[in-house]
């Protein structure tokens, strides 16, 4: 029980820390009064992921999931609103945000209204959240292949890689302790991709010794 409590706090601290990396982009947008060179879709997809896991945590009455994803959804909403304010391409951003809102409404209608409450509802929601999380962890693989091709880790963030590794490991162990495979399985790819990034840093660091410190961008 004490180990589970420790894992719970580790999940909270590491995950909120990872979500807070977006504050760097927020500071950049406020300083330049522009959203150029800042990616919008990671904010939107992470917010959708947070809302899905928040609902799962509510149904499962898991305080750790509820707290982490409430904070995450609030932070991502702040980043989204800031991006909408500073971007010049408001039509594209607005359409993507409305589409995401439609996905949320459709998800709530299906999981909250159409499905009967019980194990089936929880299982289908858990599976959906798991698949979405796995797709987010695997999405940077194309970028990692580009890093191998160019032999440069300039595009990678070492601090974000560490944060992702600690967060994924904490949630994997937390899910294992709860015997909840919907939490454990989707975070395993995060560990794998983080280890790949660590290898790339080790493999190509000497090639990039003349390059300034790693850029803090999300990959």
């Amino acid at each position: 029980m004490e180990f589970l409590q420790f894992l719970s706090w580790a999940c909270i601290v590491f995950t909120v820390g990872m979500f807070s990396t977006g504050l760097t982009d927020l500071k950049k947008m406020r300083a330049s009064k522009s959203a150029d060179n800042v990616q919008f879709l990671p904010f939107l997809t992470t917010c959708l992921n947070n809302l899905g896991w928040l609902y799962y945590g509510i149904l499962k009455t898991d305080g750790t999931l509820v707290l982490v994803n409430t904070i995450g959804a609030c932070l991502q909403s702040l980043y989204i609103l800031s991006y909408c304010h500073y971007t010049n391409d408001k039509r594209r951003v607005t359409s993507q945000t409305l589409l995401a809102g439609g996905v949320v409404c459709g998800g709530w209608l299906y999981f909250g209204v159409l499905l009967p409450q019980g194990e089936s509802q929880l299982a289908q929601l858990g599976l959906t959240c798991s698949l979405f999380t796995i797709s987010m962890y695997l999405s940077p693989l194309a970028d990692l292949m580009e890093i191998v091709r160019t032999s440069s880790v300039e595009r990678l963030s070492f601090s974000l890689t560490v944060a992702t590794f600690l967060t994924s490991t904490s949630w994997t162990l937390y899910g294992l302790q709860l015997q909840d495979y919907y939490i454990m399985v989707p975070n395993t790819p995060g560990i794998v991709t983080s280890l790949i990034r660590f290898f790339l840093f080790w493999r190509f660091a000497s090639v990039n010794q003349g390059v300034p410190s790693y850029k803090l961008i999300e990959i």
Side-chain angles (χ1 to χ4, degrees), residues 33-84:
K33 305 298 182 184
S34 170
D36 293 342
N37 300 319
V38 175
Q39 295 180 336
F40 177 67
L41 283 180
F43 298 149
L44 200 59
T45 54
T46 303
C47 188
L48 288 175
N49 196 44
N50 287 149
L51 292 174
W53 283 113
L54 173 59
Y55 191 30
Y56 182 80
I58 292 173
L59 293 180
K60 195 177 172 64
T61 61
D62 187 308
T64 303
L65 280 172
V66 171
L67 177 60
V68 165
N69 288 287
T70 297
I71 296 173
C74 289
L75 283 174
Q76 302 307 319
S77 298
L78 174 63
Y79 304 152
I80 290 170
L81 291 173
S82 299
Y83 192 99
C84 290

Side-chain angles (χ1 to χ4, degrees), residues 179-200:
Q179 295 186 333
D180 188 329
Y181 295 103
Y182 296 122
I183 297 176
M184 183 185 74
V185 173
N187 284 284
T188 305
I191 299 175
V192 175
T193 55
S194 295
L195 291 175
I196 293 174
R197 295 179 198 181
F198 284 134
F199 172 77
L200 292 177

